[in-house]
């Protein structure tokens, strides 16, 4: 091969590697989501997307399972199913989800949270640290909590109820002086209906045995890490239930479900 042709081939190969690395970096900065929050609120609970697909799109996130069979939490690439007994179980990749949000967590900035803050004060403190509130963030908080109150949801059967009806009988769990990790997201208000506006956290204990969707908490000694995620990709269900659901925003129903 002539020297000039060899040099050209080397340049092309280098460009391919650089472009490939750039695309990989872009994919890491994207939140991948299955369905919309409003669809979940309206009872679109049939699992459509297998978790092996979700796991290929991120190592950190939250969600649920087909028939609303518990809460999902993913951290450091390990996926857990927190069932209605409050216990955490490894996720079988063949399980399907009607709603989940995941990303590859790459910390952009971090800080310690001072003192003992209740849930509203804790969220306000996090907000005060944000460089902008107009992009989504993946949020990881770990350490010792004075108190955490969580819930999970029992498996449902067809015809599915709306989510606000399900949570009326949700099992609730309380943890005191517990070490663990909050996994969640903060979405801007303009994404209401697509996901929860503001913060949405799931919790898992340090020994990875228990947790749930966070209802209340008081911090003790915790550190927060945030990953700004300007990219967003969503996969919508291909079902009659989704096609016929009323997906207009319902703030009152969201408050009942989240709080």
């Amino acid at each position: 091969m002539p020297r000039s042709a060899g040099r050209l081939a080397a340049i092309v190969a280098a460009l391919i590697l650089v472009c490939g690395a750039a695309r990989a970096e872009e994919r890491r900065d994207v939140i991948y989501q299955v369905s919309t929050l409003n669809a979940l609120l309206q009872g679109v609970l049939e699992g459509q997307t297998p978790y092996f697909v979700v796991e290929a799109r991120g190592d950190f996130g939250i969600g649920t399972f087909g028939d609303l069979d518990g809460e999902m939490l993913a951290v450091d690439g390990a996926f857990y199913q927190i069932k209605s007994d409050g216990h955490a179980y490894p996720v079988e990749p063949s399980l399907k989800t009607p709603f989940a949000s995941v990303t590859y967590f790459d910390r952009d900035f971090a800080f310690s949270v001072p003192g003992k803050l209740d849930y509203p004060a804790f969220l306000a403190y996090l907000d005060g640290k944000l460089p902008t509130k107009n992009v989504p963030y993946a949020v990881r908080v770990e350490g010792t909590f004075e108190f955490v109150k969580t819930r999970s949801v029992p498996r449902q059967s067809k015809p599915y109820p709306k989510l606000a009806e399900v949570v009326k009988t949700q099992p609730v769990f309380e943890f005191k002086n517990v070490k663990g990790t909050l996994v969640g997201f903060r979405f801007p208000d303009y994404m209401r209906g697509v996901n929860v506006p503001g913060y949405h956290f799931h919790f898992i204990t340090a020994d990875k045995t228990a947790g749930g969707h966070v209802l209340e908490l008081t911090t003790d000694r915790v550190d927060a890490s945030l990953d700004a995620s300007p990219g967003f990709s969503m996969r919508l269900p291909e079902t009659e239930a989704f096609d016929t659901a009323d997906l207009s925003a319902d703030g009152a129903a969201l408050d009942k479900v989240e709080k």
Side-chain angles (χ1 to χ4, degrees):
M1 177 185 295
R3 183 177 301 177
S4 58
R7 186 178 297 120
L8 178 60
I11 292 172
V12 171
L15 287 173
I16 290 173
L17 288 173
V18 169
C19 291
R23 285 195 295 270
E25 183 65 26
E26 288 175 0
R27 287 196 295 271
R28 292 189 65 87
D29 227 13
V30 173
I31 294 173
Y32 172 76
Q33 182 167 304
V34 175
S35 192
T36 72
L37 177 67
N38 273 1
L40 197 71
L41 290 174
Q42 294 300 317
V44 182
L45 307 180
E46 184 177 356
Q48 275 277 295
T49 303
Y51 264 101
F52 65 78
V53 173
V54 177
E55 291 173 2
R57 299 298 190 100
D59 57 11
F60 178 96
I62 56 179
T64 187
F65 297 86
D67 303 331
L68 207 66
D69 188 16
E71 309 282 354
M72 186 279 286
L73 177 148
V75 61
D76 295 329
F79 283 66
Y80 299 92
Q81 180 181 17
I82 302 169
K83 295 188 178 182
S84 57
D85 60 5
H87 296 159
Y89 304 86
V91 171
E92 293 292 336
S94 60
L95 289 176
K96 295 182 179 180
T97 179
F99 180 79
S101 304
V102 297
T103 189
Y104 288 102
F105 191 90
D106 297 313
R107 183 179 67 183
D108 288 326
F109 58 99
F111 49 86
S112 294
V113 177
K116 298 181 179 181
L117 304 178
D118 65 14
Y119 204 13
F122 167 66
L123 299 184
Y125 186 81
L126 293 181
D127 264 356
K129 292 289 187 177
L130 300 180
T132 176
K133 296 179 182 179
N134 293 335
V135 300
Y137 294 89
V139 187
R140 175 174 180 164
V141 183
E142 52 195 333
T144 302
F145 297 82
E146 184 177 90
F147 174 73
V148 183
K149 182 178 181 179
T150 68
R151 70 110 191 277
S152 189
V153 281
R155 186 170 188 166
Q156 304 297 302
S157 57
K158 294 180 178 180
Y160 295 127
K162 292 185 178 181
L163 198 53
E165 293 300 314
V166 175
V167 300
K168 289 180 180 179
T169 58
Q170 63 189 7
V172 175
F173 316 99
E174 294 186 356
F175 304 87
K176 296 180 180 179
N177 299 315
V178 61
K179 291 183 178 180
T181 304
L182 299 180
V183 170
F185 294 93
R186 185 196 188 280
F187 281 89
D189 193 67
Y190 63 78
M191 297 185 75
R192 180 182 299 272
V194 173
N195 207 302
V196 178
Y199 295 92
H200 178 186
F201 285 114
H202 290 182
F203 173 75
I204 193 164
T205 55
D207 61 6
K208 305 298 191 293
T209 61
H213 169 97
V214 175
L215 298 173
E216 301 176 23
L217 63 77
T218 302
T219 62
D220 189 353
R221 298 180 304 278
V222 301
D223 298 310
S225 303
L226 287 86
D227 177 17
S229 303
F232 185 79
S233 173
M234 184 162 59
R235 176 172 180 165
L236 296 177
E238 298 178 38
T239 65
E240 181 180 357
F242 180 83
D243 290 345
T244 58
D246 178 5
L247 301 183
S248 57
D250 187 343
L254 176 60
D255 287 342
K256 290 178 183 178
V257 168
E258 290 300 304
K259 300 178 182 178

